[in-house]
Amino acid sequence: MAKWTPKHEAPEPLEGPVVATITGGTILWFVLFLVQVPFYGWFDDRDLTWWVWTCLAGAGLGLIGIWYVRKRDAAIKRHAAAQAAETAGATPGSEPTPGSEPTPGA
């Protein structure tokens, strides 16, 4: 069988409101957990307690996701600002240290 090769380049990834999407999903998982907690006995009688714990795990993993996408978004913005400063006339090869503002004409 011949190896499959793509006939065109892959499209650019879509960028959207990633932080808002992950935050909304995390809130949804946590609300579902809170809705199911009063019925824990019903879930336990039917051996379906994994439903409750899955919602809690989704909320916990969502918190990790929120932390990750906020850091990613900040890194993308820092990179874009550094690129803009470099193209605006900053000396090539001199990169600002993390947390410091680039000085114009330096």
Side-chain angles (χ1 to χ4, degrees), residues 25-26 29-30 53-63:
T26 302
W29 278 114
F30 191 67
W53 302 121
T54 299
C55 292
L56 186 60
L61 290 172
L63 291 175

Side-chain angles (χ1 to χ4, degrees), residues 1-2 15 29 34-35 42-44 46 66 73 78 84 87 106:
M1 188 175 229
E15 288 293 332
W29 278 114
L34 292 177
V35 166
W42 184 89
F43 286 108
D44 194 31
R46 288 157 182 79
I66 291 170
D73 194 37
R78 275 194 314 271
T87 58

Side-chain angles (χ1 to χ4, degrees), residues 31-53:
V31 167
L32 288 171
F33 170 73
L34 292 177
V35 166
Q36 290 179 356
V37 166
F39 303 102
Y40 187 83
W42 184 89
F43 286 108
D44 194 31
D45 292 343
R46 288 157 182 79
D47 199 27
L48 296 173
T49 55
W50 64 271
W51 284 25
V52 177
W53 302 121

